[in-house]
């Protein structure tokens, strides 16, 4: 830490720290809050019994924690396969800690970023409250109940996820996000107490408005000074300062304005951030310091031009993400989220929709830093439920508070460009839906009038099941919510055929496709043209209309759900029309639960462009070829088929005029994309050997890609995403294991069981293959590969040094790699 940056007062705070905390937690106190995650005790009561016996067994763990992911997959669990076929139950957490005598003059609170769900909290036996919503952060003040000095304090949390099903996807269970202990002077910036907006933005200058809510917990009125300093890369660019008076036990709002000259605008390519540092000075001393990262940017959703950021039209190329992190369950880990976002960004994704709930704060912080256009969403459910025990049971009492809190918590993130008040809400068809929609929009605008309100509707116009093509020239009747006046942008889930007609139906309201596509695919699994498309595993055949002219689908083009489309279909439409601001594809990653159209033994989704382990499926390269400047040439499928069998070979490419395909040196012809084609294809009888594709521009080779017929699985190969990670007990290294033949060619059907061993420190925290039907634990040290690949995740320890990971599998040559903790 940099002591020079600190006011002497913080240094004093720092050294008088909570004695229970570990070294790295102390270091964060300059930010006035410390991570309160280590050394909790946990007790699981799977039967859902509401009490803890004296003999209950407690185990020590560090948060964030998801107990469901530790369980066994079974179709008997009440969450069902929709919920990931994992257990719920009732969990108890407790933590003991002591505080310095000198802390007794402060205001101390605990903040939970998210607990799934229905939590209740006690401090030293005093009940603090409950929070049904599993996705919203909440804070309790502890001050009146705390002991100082030698006497211990105990925080107790009950988490009740026993009533199931309560979610349409895997929710996870427990204190699965970070916990913070916040300690401030009695005069301080209130919870989520700043709101930074930039009403005027140009290249030359930006007006920055800062609204700060100050809380006074002193028993008398105070006169003090508020100073807001705007920093860019740690250097002051401007500031505003004024005196204020505040009554005892009051909250008081202060408005300040500053001007930033030649602002660095936040954009997707260059997401420059500023920090507003609020200092409260009382009797000549700085008593509180609060940091608000923010961005300066202007944007609009235009009826003709779509999405405009800083005066330039850009297409939102987004994906929807659920909150689980695959084999890690829902227990948040910043590096795991960052890896997901990196994989998306490499594909060219520039937008994230937080389906269908407020996300972990760390996701939004990363989106701010990395440059994503976020749609933040509060609800999947209003009054009418979708599963028996879901949020509809809490709606009346909690919707206002939950929605308000999301807005207050998230409103300073420059990456957020729209608020979604709900996903596929059944009430969208009724007057009641219009009423609730107007109310949520009113709450939203009162707190933040700088961003538009949308809702994910399916679809916003009236339609009947047999009118699936929705081709029309006359305006169609909007649904009740779309017609309610509540929405600033009309959000479509699916119904891609109607997008070109959006302006007919909604001449005055811009467009966003909140959710699209829902194409199904299993990584590395291919079937050739037939009426019935089979996806892994083959025994669950389902007929789907492929939408191709001859009513056949190449499985390469992913299976099309009746409500969705292939990846190519929707993107072709979005790409074509400027007024279509963009879309959020369902989904970027596979997620736990909702294995539609299957049930058990499937337990995770098939919708991802990337599988649950983080390995791209083929459509990833279609998007990458369209959305990035990087040269792409991707051919599919693998090259292990029956001699003479008719096969299709597809290529996704860009930055080239043509692709020529060779089999064992013989040309199968040159192909070029015509019109709006997104791939080229060859069809011919299979011949084992070497498939080679060459992309060329103006006759010169751009890229060459070779796929060979693989022999028997023989060798394990390890590839580490980061060989050196932080020795902080949290950082992660993701290691891909590839099973190859003796010559190093991927064995495309190898499903061998791979065993891992880690020596020297750290731990294995997850294993996964991307197979939605695999029932081996994600928390074990062995896992079966899917189509030649399996992933293992290593978490660092707190000691620096090198550790060795070894992978073994019966009959295969084993492999080792070194990872360094620094
Ligand atoms: C949508 C829904 C998503 C997911 C998806 C699967 O209708 O909003 O949550 O269920 O379907 O295709």
């Amino acid at each position: 830490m940099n002591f020079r940056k600190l006011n002497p007062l913080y240094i004093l705070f720092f050294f008088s720290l909570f004695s229970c905390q570990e070294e790295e937690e102390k270091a964060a106190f300059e930010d006035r809050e410390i991570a309160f995650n280590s050394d909790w005790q946990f007790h699981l009561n799977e039967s859902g019994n509401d009490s803890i016996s004296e003999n209950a067994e407690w185990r020590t763990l560090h948060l964030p924690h998801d107990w469901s992911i530790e369980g066994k997959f079974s179709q008997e669990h009440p969450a069902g396969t929709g919920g990931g076929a994992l257990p719920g139950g009732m969990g108890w957490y407790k933590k003991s800690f002591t505080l310095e005598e000198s802390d007794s003059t402060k205001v101390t609170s605990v903040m939970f970023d998210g607990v799934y769900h229905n939590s209740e909290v006690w401090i030293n036996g005093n009940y603090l409250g409950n929070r049904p919503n599993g996705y919203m952060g909440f804070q309790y003040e502890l001050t009146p109940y705390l002991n100082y000095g030698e006497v211990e304090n105990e925080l107790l949390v009950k988490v009740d996820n026993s009533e199931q099903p309560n979610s349409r996807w895997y929710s996870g269970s427990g204190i699965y996000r970070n916990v913070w202990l916040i300690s401030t002077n009695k005069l301080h910036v209130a919870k989520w107490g700043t709101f930074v907006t930039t009403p005027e933005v140009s290249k030359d200058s930006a007006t920055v408005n800062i609204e700060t809510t100050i809380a006074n917990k002193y028993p008398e009125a105070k006169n003090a000074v508020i100073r807001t300093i705007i920093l860019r890369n740690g250097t002051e660019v401007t500031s505003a300062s004024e005196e204020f008076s505040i009554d005892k036990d009051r909250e008081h709002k202060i408005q300040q304005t500053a001007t930033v000259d030649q602002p660095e605008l936040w954009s997707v390519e260059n997401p420059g951030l500023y920090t507003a540092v609020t200092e409260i000075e009382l009797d000549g001393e700085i008593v509180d310091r609060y940091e608000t990262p923010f961005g300066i940017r202007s944007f609009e959703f235009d009826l003709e031009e779509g999405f405009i950021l800083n005066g330039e039209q850009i297409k939102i190329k987004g994906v929807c993400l659920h909150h689980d992190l695959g084999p890690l369950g829902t227990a948040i880990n910043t590096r795991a989220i960052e890896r997901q976002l990196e994989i998306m960004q490499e594909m060219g994704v520039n937008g994230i929709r937080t389906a269908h709930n407020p996300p972990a704060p760390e996701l939004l912080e990363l989106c701010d830093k990395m440059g994503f256009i976020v749609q933040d969403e509060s609800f999947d459910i209003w009054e009418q439920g979708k599963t028996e025990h879901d949020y509809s049971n809490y709606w009346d009492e909690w919707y206002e508070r939950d929605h308000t809190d999301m807005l207050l918590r998230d409103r300073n993130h420059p990456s957020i460009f729209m608020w979604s008040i709900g996903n596929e809400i059944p009430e969208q068809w009724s007057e009641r839906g219009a009423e609730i929609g107007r109310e949520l929009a009113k709450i939203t605008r009162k707190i933040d009038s700088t961003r538009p309100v949308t809702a994910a509707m399916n679809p916003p116009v009236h339609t009947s099941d047999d009118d699936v093509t929705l081709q029309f020239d006359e305006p169609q009747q909007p649904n009740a919510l779309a017609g309610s006046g509540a929405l600033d942008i009309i959000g479509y889930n699916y119904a891609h055929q109607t997008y070109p007609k959006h302006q007919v139906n909604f001449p005055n309201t811009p467009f966003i496709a909140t959710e699209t596509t829902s194409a199904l695919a299993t990584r590395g699994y291919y079937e050739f043209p037939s009426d019935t498309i089979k996806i892994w595993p083959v025994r669950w055949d389902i007929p789907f209309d492929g939408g191709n002219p001859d009513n056949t689908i190449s499985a390469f083009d992913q299976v099309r759900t009746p409500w969705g489309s292939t990846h190519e279909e929707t993107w072709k439409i979005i790409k074509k029309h400027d007024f279509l601001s963009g879309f959020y594809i369902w989904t970027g990653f596979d997620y736990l639960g909702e294995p539609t159209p299957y049930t058990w033994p499937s337990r995770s989704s098939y919708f991802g462009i990337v599988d649950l382990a983080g390995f791209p499926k083929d459509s990833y390269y279609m998007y990458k070829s369209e959305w990035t400047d990087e040269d792409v040439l991707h051919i599919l499928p693998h090259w292990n088929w029956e001699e003479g069998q008719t096969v299709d070979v597809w290529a996704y490419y860009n930055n080239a005029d043509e692709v020529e395909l060779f089999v064992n040196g013989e040309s199968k012809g040159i192909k070029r994309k015509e019109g709006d084609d997104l791939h080229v294809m060859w069809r011919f009888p299979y011949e084992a050997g070497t498939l080679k594709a060459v992309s060329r521009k103006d006759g010169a080779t751009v890229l060459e890609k070779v796929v060979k017929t693989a022999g028997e699985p023989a060798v394990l190969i390890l590839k580490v995403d980061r060989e050196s990670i932080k020795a902080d007990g949290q950082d992660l290294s993701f290691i891909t294991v590839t099973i190859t033949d003796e010559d190093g060619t991927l064995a495309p059907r190898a499903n061998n069981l791979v065993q891992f061993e880690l020596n020297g420190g750290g731990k294995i925290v997850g294993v996964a293959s991307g197979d939605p039907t695999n029932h081996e634990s994600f928390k074990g040290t062995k896992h079966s590969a899917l189509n030649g690949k399996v992933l293992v995740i290593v978490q660092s320890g707190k000691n620096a040094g090198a550790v060795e990971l070894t992978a073994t599998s019966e009959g295969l040559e084993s492999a080792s790699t070194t990872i360094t903790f620094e």
Side-chain angles (χ1 to χ4, degrees):
M1 72 187 285
N2 179 359
F3 281 100
R4 271 174 312 172
K5 265 174 50 189
L6 293 178
N7 181 293
L9 190 79
Y10 305 124
I11 297 174
L12 198 76
F13 272 3
F14 176 73
F15 287 114
S16 74
L17 260 185
F18 307 95
S19 50
C20 62
Q21 295 310 309
E22 293 179 16
E23 218 32 59
E24 93 288 350
E25 293 192 334
K26 286 182 183 177
F29 193 58
E30 62 185 277
D31 299 328
R32 96 210 252 285
E33 60 190 25
I34 56 170
F36 212 48
N37 291 321
S38 39
D39 296 315
W40 285 73
Q41 304 286 306
F42 173 66
H43 167 72
L44 177 62
N45 190 340
E46 263 187 67
S47 67
N49 189 332
D50 199 4
S51 58
I52 343 170
S53 83
E54 285 203 351
N55 320 327
E57 282 177 23
W58 295 86
R59 73 180 229 245
T60 303
L61 49 73
H62 305 309
L63 304 178
H65 173 239
D66 168 13
W67 80 69
S68 294
I69 202 72
E70 298 167 353
K72 284 197 170 61
F73 292 104
S74 161
Q75 57 182 327
E76 305 303 325
H77 292 310
T81 51
L86 284 166
M90 176 106 56
W92 294 85
Y93 295 84
K94 61 180 183 183
K95 179 174 169 76
S96 300
F97 59 101
T98 55
L99 299 169
E100 301 289 330
E101 288 289 356
S102 56
D103 294 325
S104 63
T105 58
K106 298 174 192 161
V107 176
T108 301
S109 305
V110 62
M111 162 72 90
F112 293 85
D113 281 349
V115 181
Y116 201 91
H117 70 168
N118 238 330
S119 63
E120 291 179 84
V121 183
W122 292 260
I123 179 76
N124 297 333
N126 298 285
Y127 188 68
L128 295 171
N130 86 305
R131 189 73 170 207
N133 190 312
Y135 300 106
M136 257 330 294
F138 53 91
Q139 180 172 325
Y140 297 114
E141 192 184 330
L142 308 177
T143 324
Y145 315 109
L146 288 172
N147 303 313
Y148 300 93
E150 306 275 286
V151 189
E152 287 208 327
N153 296 285
E154 188 186 73
L155 201 55
L156 177 69
V157 183
K158 175 179 146 196
V159 185
D160 186 358
N161 198 13
S162 56
E163 289 186 333
Q164 305 239 13
N166 59 50
S167 174
R168 297 190 299 111
W169 55 88
Y170 175 74
S171 64
S173 309
I175 310 182
Y176 72 102
R177 291 183 184 163
N178 287 310
V179 181
W180 308 93
L181 196 68
I182 301 170
S183 184
T184 63
N185 189 281
K186 291 196 170 96
L187 187 67
H188 59 268
V189 176
K191 178 178 70 157
W192 302 322
T194 55
F195 187 27
V196 183
T197 51
T198 52
E200 281 155 42
V201 175
S202 74
K203 287 206 167 81
D204 298 330
S205 118
T207 306
V208 181
N209 283 349
I210 311 112
E211 181 189 277
T212 310
T213 307
I214 311 276
N216 180 15
K217 295 248 170 186
Y218 281 103
E220 66 269 340
K222 290 286 175 195
N223 296 322
V225 175
I226 176 172
R227 188 175 309 113
T228 301
I229 305 153
I230 310 281
L231 303 178
R232 169 83 190 123
N233 293 330
T235 305
E236 178 171 336
V237 280
T238 182
S239 68
S241 177
E242 66 193 81
E243 288 176 17
F244 66 96
S245 311
I246 180 167
D247 279 346
K248 64 174 183 178
D249 246 334
R250 275 293 156 85
E251 291 203 342
H252 179 64
K253 274 199 175 105
I254 294 170
Q255 310 285 346
Q256 293 177 292
T257 299
T259 304
V260 174
D261 293 328
Q262 263 103 46
E264 186 159 339
L265 302 185
W266 186 98
S267 67
V268 165
E269 294 79 27
N270 183 20
L273 292 176
Y274 288 79
T275 308
V277 180
T278 314
E279 290 184 346
I280 312 284
E281 191 182 310
L282 181 64
D283 302 329
E285 252 189 299
I286 294 167
V287 295
D288 195 22
R289 185 173 189 270
Y290 184 91
E291 295 191 359
T292 312
F294 71 99
I296 299 176
R297 79 280 189 276
S298 65
F299 74 97
E300 67 187 294
F301 284 86
D302 185 79
L303 290 169
E304 297 297 330
E305 309 264 303
F307 182 63
I308 316 259
L309 180 60
N310 301 325
E312 280 174 33
Q313 182 191 38
I314 59 170
K315 197 65 104 180
I316 300 176
K317 300 163 197 149
V319 292
C320 301
L321 291 182
H322 268 317
H323 66 304
D324 74 68
L325 296 166
L328 301 175
T330 57
I332 80 114
N333 175 288
T334 307
R335 172 56 199 158
I337 302 174
E338 183 182 54
R339 171 183 180 251
Q340 284 200 332
L341 294 177
E342 282 172 1
I343 293 171
M344 289 294 106
Q345 208 160 44
E346 263 171 49
M347 166 180 141
V349 168
N350 67 10
I352 302 290
R353 171 182 179 222
T354 70
H356 303 294
N357 43 260
E362 289 76 8
L363 176 109
L364 296 173
E365 282 158 22
L366 285 164
C367 287
D368 291 347
K369 283 185 196 145
M370 294 172 77
F372 287 95
I373 297 156
V374 175
Q375 180 184 121
D376 200 0
E377 186 157 80
S378 45
F379 302 116
D380 188 51
I381 298 142
W382 292 351
E383 247 168 25
Q384 280 183 41
K386 295 181 180 174
T387 58
E388 194 182 343
H389 300 287
D390 65 20
Y391 187 70
S392 58
N393 294 294
Y394 308 103
W395 171 262
D396 284 349
E397 197 185 333
W398 285 97
Y399 76 90
E400 191 176 352
R401 174 83 186 276
D402 285 332
H403 189 63
T404 301
D405 281 0
M406 174 186 83
L407 300 164
L408 292 175
R409 188 195 72 164
D410 294 349
R411 61 190 170 165
N412 291 312
H413 288 283
S415 58
I416 298 177
F417 286 86
M418 59 200 122
W419 303 112
S420 165
I421 58 174
N423 174 60
E424 298 190 351
I425 299 296
E427 294 95 319
Q428 68 188 291
W429 308 106
S430 67
E431 227 355 83
R432 181 70 185 131
E435 219 177 300
I436 299 176
R438 279 191 290 264
E439 156 126 32
L440 291 173
K442 197 168 136 200
I443 296 171
T444 312
R445 291 185 186 116
K446 198 171 144 212
I447 291 171
D448 176 19
S449 59
T450 72
R451 294 176 178 91
V453 176
T454 191
M457 294 172 285
N458 50 336
V461 283
H462 272 299
T463 175
S464 60
D465 288 346
D466 47 0
D467 181 23
V468 284
T469 58
L470 296 160
Q471 295 303 331
F472 46 79
D473 291 314
E474 295 305 312
Q476 305 290 293
Q477 181 73 16
N479 75 27
L481 180 56
S484 68
L487 307 178
D488 301 309
I489 317 180
I490 297 295
Y492 289 71
N493 278 16
Y494 307 96
H496 55 286
Q497 303 93 331
T498 67
Y499 299 172
K501 303 287 178 153
H502 171 76
Q503 292 170 313
V504 175
N505 289 316
F506 300 100
N508 303 316
T509 321
F511 169 99
I512 183 74
T514 33
E515 185 176 320
T516 69
T517 314
S518 271
L520 304 158
T522 300
R523 173 183 53 77
Y525 186 79
Y526 305 94
E527 280 279 320
F528 291 97
S530 75
D531 292 341
T532 302
I533 285 305
K534 300 163 182 175
I535 55 175
W536 179 273
V538 288
R539 60 201 140 120
W540 291 281
D541 295 0
I542 31 158
F544 274 125
D545 171 10
N548 289 343
D550 54 359
N551 203 27
T552 63
I553 311 176
S554 164
F556 307 173
D557 196 14
Q558 310 89 35
V559 178
R560 181 188 189 284
T561 51
W563 58 96
S565 76
T566 65
H567 287 284
E568 296 197 355
E569 277 173 295
T570 296
W571 168 234
K572 280 183 189 177
I573 294 172
I574 297 280
K575 181 179 176 180
K576 202 158 152 191
H577 304 277
D578 280 352
F579 69 91
L580 300 176
S581 59
F583 68 151
Y584 292 92
I585 303 160
W586 191 266
T587 45
F589 277 74
D590 275 339
Y591 51 95
L592 292 163
E594 205 180 41
T596 305
Y598 303 127
T599 60
W600 186 259
S602 300
R603 47 62 172 158
S604 55
S605 81
Y606 293 77
F607 296 115
I609 299 166
V610 173
D611 75 16
L612 204 69
F615 303 136
K617 302 178 189 175
D618 293 300
S619 53
Y620 184 91
Y621 300 96
M622 184 279 281
Y623 289 115
K624 185 166 178 162
S625 71
E626 284 283 292
W627 293 354
T628 72
D629 294 335
E630 215 179 297
D631 293 340
V632 173
L633 173 61
H634 178 77
I635 48 174
L636 57 151
H638 58 73
W639 210 234
N640 279 56
W641 303 101
E642 297 288 316
E643 216 52 42
Q645 158 184 7
T646 301
V647 290
D648 287 354
V649 175
W650 280 34
Y652 298 122
Y653 70 93
N654 63 3
N655 303 343
D657 314 314
E658 60 185 36
V659 180
E660 186 166 9
L661 187 73
F662 302 87
V663 177
N664 298 327
E666 183 196 318
S667 175
K668 292 289 175 188
I670 293 174
K671 300 274 181 181
R672 297 182 182 88
K673 290 189 270 193
E674 308 285 347
D676 63 0
D677 286 351
L678 298 174
H679 70 272
V680 288
M681 185 187 107
W682 297 259
R683 181 172 290 176
F684 54 86
Y686 171 78
E687 195 187 307
T690 301
L691 191 64
K692 181 169 104 173
V694 181
S695 62
R696 297 190 198 99
K697 183 155 181 80
D698 302 327
T701 298
V702 177
L703 285 176
E704 272 190 21
K705 190 77 193 276
V706 171
V707 178
K708 288 184 183 162
T709 304
E712 288 302 307
V715 179
L716 297 176
I717 297 190
L718 302 186
K719 190 161 175 260
V720 183
D721 73 333
R722 291 184 313 150
E723 284 165 2
S724 159
I725 59 176
K726 281 185 240 132
D728 60 1
Q730 302 198 3
D731 206 359
L732 302 175
S733 189
F734 291 81
I735 302 102
T736 301
V737 184
T738 308
I739 302 177
T740 73
D741 67 5
E742 287 196 327
D743 299 326
T745 299
L746 172 86
R749 294 201 179 93
N751 292 344
N752 307 52
L753 180 68
V754 182
Q755 174 86 45
F756 300 101
E757 202 183 301
L758 185 67
N759 285 312
K763 57 183 177 196
I764 292 172
V765 290
V767 281
S769 68
D771 175 357
T773 65
N774 182 312
H775 297 154
E776 296 155 2
S777 171
F778 290 127
K779 292 307 223 181
T781 53
K782 57 178 187 245
H783 212 75
S784 299
L786 171 73
N787 298 332
K789 281 182 194 284
V790 59
L791 176 83
V792 54
I793 308 169
V794 169
Q795 184 161 54
S796 63
K798 290 191 176 173
N799 296 326
V803 299
E804 192 180 45
L805 176 79
T806 305
T808 51
S809 183
E810 206 180 316
L812 306 184
E813 195 180 300
S814 55
S816 296
T817 189
T818 303
I819 301 156
T820 310
F821 303 157
E822 289 183 335

